[in-house]
Amino acid sequence: DQEKFVFSVAQEKYKQALSILSEGAKIDQLSTALRESEERYQALINVVDQTVSVQELVRSEDGRVVDAVILRVNPMWVMATGLSPANACQRRLTELFPETAKELLEQFEEAARTHMAVKKDLHFKERDLWYDSLIVPLGGDRVMLAGLDTTERRILQEKVRRSEARLKMVLESLPFAVGVTDEEGNLVLSNREMRHYLPTSKIPALDSEQAVRWKGVTKDGQPLPPSEFTVARALRGEEYGESIEMTFKADDGTDEKVMVTSKAVRDEQKKITGAFILVEKKSLSANSDLKN
């Protein structure tokens, strides 16, 4: 009986040992799976062509988000910031990027609170770069910040804006009416003088109410229909070799004698994309001829 008792105790201990070994194996399997999952996660963000970082929010005693700890970054983030993963991970956002952090932390808190992604036009002040960014809540107090560098696009947009402002200033200083239409005949660029003649920003062929204010004649003395005005012909690719004389009825009822010139605007493939219009009062045109 004593031997049976000893054997039963030993058997129970053996089962317990097997159970412990089995649990240990499960823990090892879980650890391996977790490590492999982390590696796949890192590999995934590494191939993304945007800056990506994963951050853990730091809260004050009253629950406010006061900082964030950087947990993970991808190569694009390293290129943008100049910081290696070793120098960035496990460090606080306010320590690395104090000027940008305040704005970001507000967006992080919103994403974590609403459980919804937040889009943000972000100015990375420390490097003077601009990003079209997306903040994605990952659950708990973790968020992912992804950003597409839009700095070059912004620089180009600013150059275009300044160029357009200079062009507008030049156009407004001209003593005659100038304008450019799209391929359908709608004004896309004009000065104040041109808006006097085309107040609805449409050529006469597109605006019957305004068309009646314009009068012209053909070479054989017949009334010139709006479809045969120089700008309408230019948009069809029928180049008009010279200016034509027309009469325009102004808002005060007076008739203005003007010379109208139009020319098709073409792209690099010679496709018509619009038309250039010049309207000059007959007196100005005559003066110009005298000077020449």
Side-chain angles (χ1 to χ4, degrees), residues 95-141:
E95 175 191 356
L96 297 176
F97 313 114
E99 293 184 56
T100 307
K102 182 179 180 181
E103 187 177 2
L104 267 178
L105 291 174
E106 293 175 356
Q107 307 302 321
F108 285 175
E109 186 167 28
E110 180 182 346
R113 184 183 72 256
T114 62
H115 306 289
M116 295 180 64
V118 176
K119 293 191 70 174
K120 176 71 178 173
D121 195 18
L122 177 66
H123 185 200
F124 181 22
K125 298 180 179 65
E126 282 75 9
R127 300 292 292 270
D128 195 21
L129 299 173
W130 286 90
Y131 287 89
D132 184 6
S133 65
L134 183 68
I135 301 163
V136 181
L138 300 179
D141 269 347

Side-chain angles (χ1 to χ4, degrees), residues 4-287:
K4 289 181 179 181
F5 174 75
V6 172
F7 179 75
S8 65
V9 171
Q11 192 175 36
E12 186 63 29
K13 294 293 184 183
Y14 177 69
K15 288 180 180 180
Q16 290 177 1
L18 284 179
S19 177
I20 292 171
L21 288 173
S22 178
E23 288 299 322
K26 288 180 181 178
I27 292 172
D28 288 341
Q29 290 174 2
L30 288 173
S31 297
T32 301
L34 180 61
R35 185 179 67 254
E36 291 176 350
S37 176
E38 291 283 324
E39 290 172 355
R40 286 195 296 270
Y41 184 31
Q42 184 66 50
L44 178 63
I45 67 173
N46 282 350
V47 298
V48 175
D49 61 351
Q50 300 182 17
T51 62
V52 177
S53 64
V54 176
Q55 310 195 32
E56 181 90 33
L57 305 184
V58 177
R59 295 183 180 273
S60 62
E61 292 183 358
D62 58 0
R64 292 180 300 106
V65 174
V66 294
D67 213 332
V69 176
I70 299 172
L71 303 178
R72 189 185 300 275
V73 297
N74 73 341
M76 292 294 290
W77 188 95
V78 172
M79 289 177 60
T81 63
L83 295 173
S84 68
N87 290 329
C89 292
Q90 303 306 319
R91 294 179 68 181
R92 295 199 171 199
L93 191 64
T94 54
E95 175 191 356
L96 297 176
F97 313 114
E99 293 184 56
T100 307
K102 182 179 180 181
E103 187 177 2
L104 267 178
L105 291 174
E106 293 175 356
Q107 307 302 321
F108 285 175
E109 186 167 28
E110 180 182 346
R113 184 183 72 256
T114 62
H115 306 289
M116 295 180 64
V118 176
K119 293 191 70 174
K120 176 71 178 173
D121 195 18
L122 177 66
H123 185 200
F124 181 22
K125 298 180 179 65
E126 282 75 9
R127 300 292 292 270
D128 195 21
L129 299 173
W130 286 90
Y131 287 89
D132 184 6
S133 65
L134 183 68
I135 301 163
V136 181
L138 300 179
D141 269 347
R142 287 195 178 187
V143 295
M144 180 179 70
L145 173 63
L148 178 65
D149 190 341
T150 59
T151 307
E152 186 175 350
R153 185 181 71 194
R154 277 179 164 268
I155 292 173
L156 289 174
Q157 287 174 339
E158 179 61 19
K159 287 182 178 179
V160 170
R161 188 192 66 78
R162 291 180 180 177
S163 177
E164 289 178 345
R166 286 194 296 267
L167 177 58
K168 184 177 180 180
M169 182 176 64
V170 170
L171 291 180
E172 293 297 346
S173 68
L174 296 175
F176 43 79
V178 290
V180 178
T181 75
D182 59 18
E183 63 273 20
E184 295 178 352
N186 301 295
L187 278 178
V188 293
L189 182 65
S190 63
N191 65 354
R192 187 182 301 105
E193 293 290 330
M194 180 57 75
R195 292 189 289 276
H196 164 67
Y197 294 113
L198 298 178
T200 62
S201 297
K202 294 180 181 294
I203 65 173
L206 297 180
D207 191 337
S208 58
E209 291 185 4
Q210 293 295 320
V212 298
R213 302 175 69 177
W214 291 90
K215 302 295 181 184
V217 294
T218 63
K219 290 182 179 180
D220 57 3
Q222 297 299 312
L224 190 68
S227 60
E228 293 302 311
F229 288 2
T230 58
V231 62
R233 295 187 62 174
L235 287 171
R236 295 197 298 267
E238 303 170 14
E239 298 295 348
Y240 216 93
E242 57 186 21
S243 302
I244 65 169
E245 182 178 335
M246 300 193 74
T247 302
F248 174 76
K249 188 170 289 295
D251 291 336
D252 61 5
T254 59
D255 290 336
E256 296 181 10
K257 297 292 186 180
V258 297
M259 300 299 294
V260 182
T261 306
S262 299
K263 186 175 179 61
V265 177
R266 300 175 184 269
D267 61 16
E268 294 179 354
Q269 287 74 42
K270 305 301 181 181
K271 178 184 175 182
I272 294 175
T273 60
F276 171 79
I277 316 170
L278 185 149
V279 180
E280 191 173 12
K281 290 183 179 180
K282 188 73 180 295
S283 59
L284 286 176
S285 178
N287 290 336

